[in-house]
Amino acid sequence: MSIQDKQQQLLDELSLFQDWTERYEYVIGLGKQLEPMADDSKRDDLLIRGCQSMVWLDASCKDGVMHYQADSDSLITKGMIALFVRVLDGESPEEVLKADMSFVEQTGLKEHLAPTRANALNLMATQMKQRALEFAGK
């Protein structure tokens, strides 16, 4: 399944909910599905700087495929990064770098976030691409 297909699948799932609170509950549920990071993996060098909450992002590349692990001390923030993990995990670094992450705008979630949380979405997407850049061409 392509990145665009995964994005569309998420948008289709979110469109099933009638209001933004239901959408947020769904996103929080996605976050709860993320495998928790071990406490010793929650290092300062894995923090996404600029987020209101603590958000850790680790990445590896095995056999040309990106694997992301993320966690947060906030349920909604963990859910937001889970959106990106779901879309980008299992893709090549080159595909991650080419990915159009503006699908988040179409979710309608950003409109109901505090400005600092909305900015965190951009930081998360940027950081995930930055991690893919580290592995691109290797």
Side-chain angles (χ1 to χ4, degrees):
M1 183 181 298
S2 72
I3 289 175
Q4 295 83 4
D5 291 339
K6 292 184 217 178
Q7 290 172 341
Q8 188 58 54
Q9 185 179 46
L10 267 173
L11 291 171
D12 291 346
E13 290 168 11
L14 285 167
S15 74
L16 298 173
F17 302 103
Q18 301 304 312
D19 65 30
W20 65 271
T21 54
E22 291 175 337
R23 288 180 180 193
Y24 276 113
E25 288 175 20
Y26 180 74
V27 170
I28 288 169
L30 290 176
K32 288 179 179 178
Q33 293 174 22
L34 280 179
E35 188 175 321
M37 290 177 81
D39 286 339
D40 61 348
S41 295
K42 295 178 182 177
R43 303 184 318 261
D44 284 348
D45 63 317
L46 298 179
L47 277 172
I48 297 178
R49 305 276 179 221
C51 291
Q52 182 178 355
S53 302
M54 304 286 277
V55 185
W56 297 271
L57 175 68
D58 198 6
S60 61
C61 186
K62 184 174 182 182
D63 298 325
V65 175
M66 292 298 300
H67 299 284
Y68 291 99
Q69 189 175 19
D71 208 340
S72 177
D73 63 350
S74 160
L75 289 176
I76 189 62
T77 305
K78 187 172 180 175
M80 292 185 316
I81 198 148
L83 292 171
F84 293 122
V85 170
R86 183 166 159 189
V87 168
L88 299 177
D89 194 69
E91 300 293 334
S92 71
E94 293 76 17
E95 288 299 315
V96 170
L97 291 171
K98 291 191 300 188
D100 179 0
M101 301 308 284
S102 65
F103 83 98
V104 172
E105 306 290 336
Q106 298 171 48
T107 65
L109 298 171
K110 227 176 177 182
E111 299 150 18
H112 300 282
L113 288 172
T116 53
R117 289 241 158 119
N119 184 51
L121 287 167
N122 296 331
L123 293 170
M124 291 174 194
T126 300
Q127 195 58 234
M128 292 183 89
K129 286 188 172 218
Q130 182 62 43
R131 300 288 169 90
L133 184 60
E134 294 169 11
F135 295 103
K138 289 187 178 178

